[in-house]
Amino acid sequence: MSSEAAGVRVAVLGLGYVGCVSAACLAELGNRVTGIDRDENKVNNVLNGLAPFFEPGLEQLVRDNVAAGRLTASTAIEALQDTDVALVCVGTPSEKNGNLGLDQLRRVVSDIAETLEKRKKPLVLAIRSTVFPGTCEEVVLPLLSGSALVSVVSNPEFLREGVAVKDFMEPSLLVVGGSDPEAVRLVASLYSPLQVSACLVSLRTAEMIKYACNAFHAVKISFANEIGALSARLNVDPGEVMATLCEDTRLNISPTYLRPGFAFGGSCLPKDLRALNYRANRLDLRLPLLESTLPSNNQHLQRAIDAVLDLPARRLGIIGLAFKENTDDLRESPVVSLLEQLIGKGRQVRIFDPHIQLDSIYGSNRNFILQQIPHIVRLLDSSVEQLLAWCDHVVVAQKMPPQLASRVTGAGLPITDLVGPTLAYVAAPVPASVR
Ligand SMILES: NC(=O)c1ccc[n+]([C@@H]2O[C@H](COP(=O)([O-])OP(=O)(O)OC[C@H]3O[C@@H](n4cnc5c(N)ncnc54)[C@H](O)[C@@H]3O)[C@@H](O)[C@H]2O)c1
């Protein structure tokens, strides 16, 4: 156990699947832990050395740690009075409309707020329940009435029921988010005996990452099932297909293609998805995830186009025309759709792409661009300097090599970056009604 965590007293609020596992495992790591729950039955179970529900390995941990005096439980919120860190693990069930139910969270934080008057030492409140980004700032903090004694951090839980103790002790990911570095470090130090390095992020990122992970898991399962269903209908072994797909750890099971940015395009992805969906349709096989991929891509492209149309610019200089960097392939380039709409709405545009000289492209590539934008040749600049001297706003539609990037940024013009990971062109204030 780290010296920082040694001597830290921990309260766990909510002794459900997440809270009870967290409490027992943190006690097993050497911390002094008090579990607090309104449910007397759960509290009595823990006090009697029993797990309040079945989870492999949990009962033994509860029994051993209660016996060793490291784990206790109470129904009284006052039990957190002499603790340093409170982990909030109450339920956040779905409401009828799908929204997240925050009643348990509001109640427990209000209960904690009432104890603050008598409190002498600081408290770090770590929200482990799954909550939507902004909840800590907009729901939790206001309930604490700005008490200087409390710091709020987000510390989402990723354990899976059935292997929860193992997942806690061998975490695949540890995330702690907040703006108070001391509080963030203290919460991260609780896990320091484990073989994992903490990702220290912003409060909102920590809240969002839990949703991103669960959505990703759900999409992966549905993807495997849809590819599997189509494979089976085509008399192909689904297991063999997916196992082979997983062999590629560079493009498939890797961070590649998992960076937010611009829409995809090119001569393969759209064409092959269309063919796959067409064939599935003919087999009367509904594959909603795969069917929704091209519409999803079109929506993303439209967001970018709308943002460019909204720019207060008179002369737009577009960097990049091919569907990605280091190619001159223009087929199904999203930039071509962008240009079509900009030109169609009367915007003045010029384009520079380091790899596109219209004289040297030919075949289906040349036919595609001339069909879409017949007068493209008049819009292409042969040097970036020419483009920068003409435009009053730069739109980056392709990843730039460092030299080109420094020339573009050096021009001092406003830039809208469609390919960067921040998706600044999508950002807009969240209406209060959906918070
Ligand atoms: N179950 C999982 O596999 C899992 C995994 C990761 C994250 N999560 C998230 O963790 C959170 C907790 O999930 P869970 O499955 O442990 O929920 P749960 O319903 O099993 O447990 C919640 C506990 O909180 C207690 N509680 C409610 N209000 C309280 C209050 N005011 N004071 C004290 N105790 C109170 C309840 O009595 C209950 O025992 C949820 O946000 C969930 O989405 C769950």
Side-chain angles (χ1 to χ4, degrees):
M1 194 173 166
S2 81
S3 54
E4 190 165 9
V8 172
R9 298 188 62 135
V10 181
V12 175
L13 293 125
L15 287 172
Y17 287 88
V18 166
C20 193
V21 170
S22 302
C25 290
L26 285 170
E28 179 71 10
L29 294 179
N31 300 285
R32 286 159 70 199
V33 182
T34 304
I36 301 173
D37 201 300
R38 302 173 77 87
D39 182 336
E40 218 169 297
N41 202 26
K42 283 185 180 153
V43 168
N44 286 337
N45 266 305
V46 171
L47 290 174
N48 291 323
L50 301 168
F53 48 85
F54 177 72
E55 182 61 47
L58 181 61
E59 189 143 294
Q60 180 82 44
L61 280 186
V62 171
R63 192 182 317 129
D64 291 353
N65 284 286
V66 169
R70 287 187 297 263
L71 176 62
T72 185
S74 172
T75 53
I77 193 74
E78 292 73 23
L80 67 69
Q81 207 55 273
D82 62 347
T83 60
D84 308 285
V85 180
L87 306 178
V88 174
C89 304
V90 296
T92 49
S94 262
E95 287 177 353
K96 272 194 182 138
N97 62 5
N99 198 11
L100 198 66
L102 293 180
D103 290 354
Q104 294 183 34
L105 182 75
R106 284 200 180 90
R107 175 108 190 230
V108 79
V109 177
S110 303
D111 289 350
I112 293 168
E114 280 176 22
T115 68
L116 295 177
E117 215 172 286
K118 293 197 188 132
R119 198 172 177 89
K120 302 270 180 314
K121 57 179 181 173
L123 176 69
V124 176
L125 196 61
I127 307 297
R128 279 173 76 64
S129 301
T130 301
V131 294
F132 217 64
T135 305
C136 285
E137 286 165 358
E138 290 157 20
V139 177
V140 175
L141 281 167
L143 287 170
L144 298 167
S145 315
S147 166
L149 276 180
V150 191
S151 280
V152 175
V153 306
S154 167
N155 173 214
E157 174 54 65
F158 301 100
L159 60 75
R160 297 164 298 167
E161 287 175 19
V163 280
V165 171
K166 188 171 187 299
D167 277 356
F168 188 100
M169 292 301 197
E170 296 164 28
S172 53
L173 184 63
L174 172 62
V175 177
V176 188
S179 52
D180 174 351
E182 287 287 301
V184 165
R185 225 188 24 250
L186 182 61
V187 172
S189 74
L190 294 176
Y191 305 93
S192 57
L194 304 176
Q195 293 295 310
V196 64
S197 52
C199 300
L200 307 183
V201 297
S202 74
L203 197 56
R204 280 176 182 250
T205 295
E207 293 171 315
M208 186 66 195
I209 190 71
K210 174 68 188 175
Y211 282 95
C213 288
N214 275 354
F216 191 40
H217 299 162
V219 165
K220 285 207 303 187
I221 294 168
S222 300
F223 175 83
N225 284 338
E226 288 195 1
I227 291 290
L230 181 61
S231 302
R233 288 295 287 275
L234 297 172
N235 215 10
V236 182
D237 178 350
E240 191 173 50
V241 171
M242 286 309 296
T244 311
L245 179 146
C246 294
E247 284 296 305
D248 180 347
T249 53
R250 197 154 53 88
L251 300 187
N252 292 345
I253 311 302
S254 76
T256 311
Y257 304 132
L258 283 175
R259 201 188 67 122
F262 198 30
F264 65 76
S267 61
C268 294
L269 301 192
K271 168 177 80 76
D272 295 346
L273 266 164
R274 270 196 298 271
L276 199 132
N277 287 322
Y278 174 78
R279 190 56 82 90
N281 253 318
R282 279 185 45 192
L283 293 167
D284 283 334
L285 199 57
R286 293 294 321 274
L287 304 177
L289 179 67
L290 293 170
E291 282 164 18
S292 66
T293 306
L294 286 172
S296 161
N297 194 50
N298 289 341
Q299 274 301 318
H300 192 62
L301 175 57
Q302 196 57 47
R303 282 188 285 270
I305 293 173
D306 290 345
V308 177
L309 282 169
D310 280 349
L311 288 173
R314 284 195 308 119
R315 293 187 303 274
L316 293 163
I318 315 281
I319 306 274
L321 178 58
F323 80 99
K324 63 173 184 180
E325 67 279 8
N326 291 327
T327 177
D328 63 3
D329 196 347
L330 298 169
R331 290 172 296 171
E332 302 214 35
S333 167
V335 191
V336 174
S337 307
L338 166 73
L339 286 172
E340 280 175 324
Q341 288 204 36
L342 293 179
I343 295 166
K345 300 232 184 235
R347 299 296 191 277
Q348 288 192 64
V349 285
R350 295 199 65 80
I351 308 135
F352 170 72
D353 185 313
H355 299 288
I356 307 272
Q357 304 296 330
L358 211 56
D359 315 340
S360 54
I361 59 173
Y362 59 96
S364 55
N365 199 11
R366 187 182 174 87
N367 293 342
F368 172 78
I369 190 67
L370 290 179
Q371 219 168 43
Q372 305 295 313
I373 309 174
H375 59 296
I376 185 80
V377 76
R378 296 206 303 271
L379 304 177
L380 274 173
D381 277 327
S382 54
S383 77
V384 72
E385 280 74 22
Q386 215 178 342
L387 182 94
L388 294 170
W390 172 83
C391 67
D392 58 25
H393 196 112
V394 180
V395 175
V396 178
Q398 190 180 88
K399 223 168 126 195
M400 297 184 287
Q403 226 189 0
L404 178 59
S406 71
R407 271 144 98 190
V408 170
T409 49
L413 292 165
I415 298 175
T416 296
D417 185 1
L418 301 181
V419 296
T422 58
L423 297 190
Y425 62 94
V426 177
V430 183
S433 58
V434 299
R435 275 189 205 133

